[in-house]
Amino acid sequence: MSILKLENITRDFYDGRQIRRVLHSTNLAFIPGELVVLSGPSGSGKTTLLSIMGLVLKPSEGKIYLNDKDLTQINDNEAAMLRLKYYGFIFQQHMLIEGLSVIDNILLAYAVQGSKVTAQQRQKAYGLLEKLGLKDTAHMQPLSLSGGMKQRVSIARALIKDPLILLCDEPTASLDAENGITVMKILKKSALEDQRIVLVVSHDSRVFPFSDRLIKIENGKIVSDTKENYQ
Amino acid sequence: MRLWVAIKIAIHDRSSTAGAVLGVVAIIFLVGQQLSVFFGLLNLMSVLPDHSNADVWIMSKNIRNSDSGNLISGAYIDRVIGISEVEWIEPLLIGSALFRRGDGSFEPVRVIGLRRPRIAGGPWSFHSSDEKVLLDLEAVVVDKLDLSKLGHPSLDEIGEIGEKRVRIGAIATGARGFQGTLLFAPLEKVREISKTPPGRYSALLVKLDEKSDKESVIKKIKDILPNCSVFSSQELSSLSRKYYITNTGIGGSFLFSTSIAIMIGVVIITLTMYTSVLSRKKDFALIRAIGGRKRDIFIIVVGEVFFITFIGIFVGFLLLSTLLSYTVNSQIPSYLPLKVAPLLALGAFIVSLIGSLFALKVALATDPASVFH
Ligand SMILES: Nc1ncnc2c1ncn2[C@@H]1O[C@H](COP(=O)(O)OP(=O)(O)OP(=O)(O)O)[C@@H](O)[C@H]1O
Ligand SMILES: [Mg+2]
């Protein structure tokens, strides 16, 4: 079983006057098949932790392992390659590229390093759109979609490559209740049925019922880490 | 797909793209227009050696251009004709005088005297009639574009140069000089007009045998005539061009206006590309986060620059060729050699890449972590 493991991870930021530790020594391990919610007040370090797990931010100290492979010392290009291969990201904003159609936005996840998009991949993208209730939007511009639809497109972009790890930063924050629940249902299903490591950063209490595990963070420290059982 | 993304983004970002395209168009059009005037003037500067149909020009010692030199002796003709590779040798006599216009006013002209019956070094293309009119002692040939300066004389009209009677025998095209108005006349007539003593000439034109080695024949002539300048036509042509470029300020003014045009283009491209990249930093961060490397960002931005430059070059040349088609047979000297066009396009490419460096730097520096903020 794949495991994403953080060992004594810390992160310091220079805030203009002094160096401040925003993430204190953190040890965590994530396994596929469960939806983990990371929650905490604003500025507590959630996004920082997520960014380190997502290999877009380097820790100040500590080690990060994927399947026992140490990823701490990898360079920029190796990190990009790993993100392409194993990761899916969902953000608070949909982060779709204006000018590209819905289908192109999704396919970019395959082709960002220049590889050719196969007919099979294209077919898969259409299939995913259909599953997410976006059947007729494939050739529309993101601008012409509603907020909920855009977020579902961005989920399609994250899921198209069947990522091992799905990292979501406040995926429901810009959505109304109904859309928020739809999104969480998709994420939950993706974790369970497709056996992914899914981490959802949120301080939206509506997402808690979907969690299998709830991690709370305050001032850069993990204060609780509990298995949930809402079902 | 990266190039596809580049083009899609460029099309979507219409105002920035249009701005940057404008920069490229400005470069192509302004620089192209400057170049065409420049090359047009270059043609005027060396019009006689370029069209003389001779291989070698013999003039007085130490000349600096084809338009001014001392008179040389006709005795040299016999010495040069003795060289076996020489096919023919013909003298040229250039005189300055005043042309009397129909209304009684005067226009200074330079009259090129050609020896009959060969009429070498004379006008080479005609609007009406042809060079054979110069077999008639009275006839002169005028360029079509110079007619207005001469008071619009019509064909066969009788006029006066240096108080000698002449007849407008033919109207030539493309026979304009850099220094004043050129006219062509029989050599004897020019001698009369300029009151040059017999046996003296401005230049001797030599035609060599096709198969001869030109270099060595020129050397032979130089040895025979140590008191003359001996040039191949090309040498004299570039000598004259260099002389006028450096001594009239045309070179400087051309460089100046061209640099300004390039600078305007660079500034426009820099500003528009920079703001457009800045406004899309989020996109670049996203592309990095989902697995794009720096080189993928590079390809997208440079792809966009290529796309913009292609359109700019296309539109620029369209405008330029429209302009040139209007100015080609006008008073404005304009001539753009075909081989200059690809160089101009290449230059525009380089300039727009330079203009995009700043934007590229910003795009490449995008932190993938910023996608979360
Ligand atoms: N690039 C940075 N440079 C300096 N300080 C930073 C940087 N990124 C984050 N911080 C600081 O680190 C702390 C944690 O930030 P982080 O974004 O991880 O918080 P968060 O828990 O995600 O908050 P929110 O719920 O508001 O998104 C904050 O005090 C923030 O100001
Ligand atoms: Mg955050």
Side-chain angles (χ1 to χ4, degrees):
Chain A
M1 189 195 284
S2 303
I3 295 180
L4 179 68
K5 207 161 72 182
L6 309 183
E7 236 179 58
N8 298 319
I9 293 285
T10 68
R11 176 69 205 206
D12 303 327
F13 277 121
Y14 182 68
D15 67 6
R17 257 182 297 148
Q18 54 180 2
I19 292 177
R20 208 160 50 83
R21 178 145 294 188
V22 300
L23 195 62
H24 293 272
S25 187
T26 301
N27 290 284
L28 286 169
F30 300 91
I31 55 165
E34 58 179 22
L35 189 147
V36 182
V37 171
L38 175 64
S39 182
S42 184
S44 55
K46 305 183 295 292
T47 298
T48 305
L49 182 58
L50 187 85
S51 307
I52 291 171
M53 289 171 64
L55 308 180
V56 293
L57 185 70
K58 292 229 172 218
S60 300
E61 296 165 349
K63 288 186 182 300
I64 174 165
Y65 299 95
L66 180 61
N67 298 335
D68 294 324
K69 189 181 179 296
D70 184 358
L71 304 183
T72 321
Q73 297 302 325
I74 56 169
N75 67 29
D76 230 41
N77 284 346
E78 289 166 331
M81 195 41 130
L82 289 170
R83 291 198 296 271
L84 180 67
K85 222 168 143 183
Y86 296 115
Y87 285 79
F89 292 99
I90 297 166
F91 314 93
Q92 177 169 352
Q93 258 74 42
H94 52 82
M95 299 296 278
L96 299 175
I97 295 178
E98 305 284 356
L100 296 185
S101 64
V102 163
I103 191 85
D104 283 344
N105 262 290
I106 295 170
L107 291 172
L108 185 62
Y110 279 124
V112 69
Q113 287 201 3
S115 60
K116 247 186 121 52
V117 175
T118 63
Q120 205 184 345
Q121 291 168 336
R122 195 170 284 276
Q123 222 40 57
K124 192 173 166 193
Y126 283 116
L128 200 50
L129 279 177
E130 193 167 348
K131 254 198 232 165
L132 294 173
L134 296 164
K135 194 165 172 250
D136 302 323
T137 65
H139 297 285
M140 289 165 77
Q141 288 292 313
L143 262 177
S144 56
L145 303 183
S146 72
M149 289 164 107
K150 282 186 232 181
Q151 194 60 310
R152 277 181 280 151
V153 173
S154 82
I155 292 174
R157 178 179 59 197
L159 292 181
I160 185 83
K161 289 174 305 175
D162 285 317
L164 171 63
I165 302 160
L166 189 58
L167 301 178
C168 321
D169 197 359
E170 311 274 9
T172 60
S174 59
L175 301 178
D176 59 27
E178 193 187 338
N179 277 308
I181 286 168
T182 309
V183 164
M184 284 315 295
K185 278 183 179 161
I186 298 166
L187 295 179
K188 175 83 178 184
K189 198 165 160 229
S190 179
L192 275 179
E193 291 179 7
D194 306 325
Q195 285 291 301
R196 303 185 210 287
I197 295 172
V198 179
L199 179 72
V200 177
V201 162
S202 181
H203 51 227
D204 178 356
S205 58
R206 289 175 305 177
V207 315
F208 296 165
F210 294 89
S211 69
D212 300 304
R213 177 181 168 193
L214 180 63
I215 301 174
K216 292 207 160 155
I217 183 170
E218 274 170 34
N219 289 322
K221 287 185 195 124
I222 307 289
V223 292
S224 76
D225 184 349
T226 52
K227 289 269 176 198
E228 298 292 313
N229 203 347
Y230 284 96
Q231 277 86 1
Chain B
M1 177 144 187
R2 288 169 298 187
L3 291 180
W4 170 255
V5 170
I7 292 173
K8 284 295 199 173
I9 287 177
I11 292 172
H12 178 77
D13 212 354
R14 261 179 240 117
S15 55
S16 300
T17 301
V21 165
L22 182 74
V24 180
V25 171
I27 290 172
I28 295 281
F29 183 73
L30 294 176
V31 174
Q33 186 268 334
Q34 288 292 324
L35 276 174
S36 79
V37 171
F38 184 68
F39 282 108
L41 289 172
L42 278 186
N43 279 349
L44 302 188
M45 291 170 188
S46 56
V47 66
L48 290 180
D50 287 346
H51 296 278
S52 64
N53 189 32
D55 299 305
V56 183
W57 280 62
I58 300 169
M59 292 181 72
S60 65
K61 198 81 190 159
N62 297 331
I63 55 148
R64 291 155 72 205
N65 59 59
S66 58
D67 295 319
S68 40
N70 283 323
L71 295 173
I72 56 175
S73 163
Y76 297 153
I77 294 178
D78 298 332
R79 292 203 222 157
V80 174
I81 199 81
I83 298 172
S84 59
E85 291 94 336
V86 170
E87 203 178 297
W88 52 251
I89 173 164
E90 287 291 331
L92 213 62
L93 180 62
I94 304 175
S96 297
L98 293 177
F99 180 95
R100 192 188 151 97
R101 291 161 44 113
D103 63 3
S105 62
F106 293 95
E107 171 75 16
V109 294
R110 295 176 66 237
V111 199
I112 316 296
L114 314 169
R115 185 161 77 168
R116 297 175 292 176
R118 181 165 275 125
I119 313 176
W124 40 91
S125 72
F126 289 87
H127 174 256
S128 45
S129 194
D130 59 32
E131 72 273 16
K132 290 202 189 68
V133 296
L134 293 179
L135 296 173
D136 168 12
L137 185 63
E138 307 268 271
V140 292
V141 179
V142 178
D143 191 89
K144 185 167 180 281
L145 291 174
D146 285 334
L147 285 174
S148 59
K149 277 194 275 185
L150 303 179
H152 297 288
S154 49
L155 201 62
D156 286 329
E157 192 173 314
I158 304 293
E160 238 179 66
I161 300 178
E163 294 172 351
K164 302 288 182 254
R165 185 187 140 95
V166 293
R167 178 176 65 85
I168 307 294
I171 293 168
T173 53
R176 290 208 299 160
F178 186 67
Q179 261 197 352
T181 309
L182 285 190
L183 279 133
F184 296 87
L187 200 144
E188 297 89 325
K189 176 60 85 179
V190 175
R191 196 177 294 288
E192 243 181 72
I193 291 171
S194 62
K195 303 184 178 72
T196 310
R200 315 287 292 169
Y201 301 99
S202 302
L204 303 177
L205 310 192
V206 183
K207 181 80 178 170
L208 302 181
D209 191 334
E210 287 289 340
K211 289 178 287 272
S212 65
D213 171 22
K214 305 222 156 101
E215 297 282 322
S216 69
V217 182
I218 288 176
K219 183 154 186 319
K220 262 188 223 172
I221 300 175
K222 279 182 179 162
D223 289 343
I224 297 173
L225 305 175
N227 292 321
C228 296
S229 309
V230 181
F231 291 107
S232 72
S233 299
Q234 288 90 338
E235 279 170 348
L236 185 62
S237 168
S238 38
L239 183 78
S240 303
R241 289 176 172 202
K242 275 192 201 120
Y243 172 84
Y244 286 122
I245 289 171
T246 49
N247 287 294
T248 57
I250 282 180
S253 98
F254 165 75
L255 277 182
F256 182 73
S257 47
T258 304
S259 328
I260 296 284
I262 291 175
M263 255 162 52
I264 292 173
V266 171
V267 169
I268 295 177
I269 293 168
T270 305
L271 287 179
T272 51
M273 283 304 292
Y274 181 68
T275 45
S276 111
V277 163
L278 266 192
S279 71
R280 283 187 281 119
K281 270 190 81 128
K282 276 256 170 218
D283 289 350
F284 294 125
L286 172 89
I287 289 171
R288 295 278 276 123
I290 65 173
R293 299 154 298 181
K294 281 199 171 158
R295 91 179 70 137
D296 302 311
I297 301 287
F298 179 89
I299 287 172
I300 289 173
V301 176
V302 171
E304 221 179 310
V305 174
F306 268 54
F307 178 69
I308 285 168
T309 313
F310 267 124
I311 299 177
I313 287 175
F314 182 76
V315 177
F317 273 114
L318 213 64
L319 288 177
L320 187 60
S321 56
T322 311
L323 176 84
L324 292 186
S325 71
Y326 276 109
T327 55
V328 67
N329 282 315
S330 75
Q331 294 288 347
I332 305 165
S334 73
Y335 166 66
L336 197 62
L338 221 53
K339 65 180 175 213
V340 171
L343 290 178
L344 182 57
L346 182 72
F349 246 120
I350 294 170
V351 166
S352 51
L353 280 177
I354 292 172
S356 309
L357 280 182
F358 221 39
L360 191 59
K361 212 178 142 214
V362 172
L364 289 179
T366 309
D367 179 4
S370 66
V371 77
F372 289 106
H373 293 289

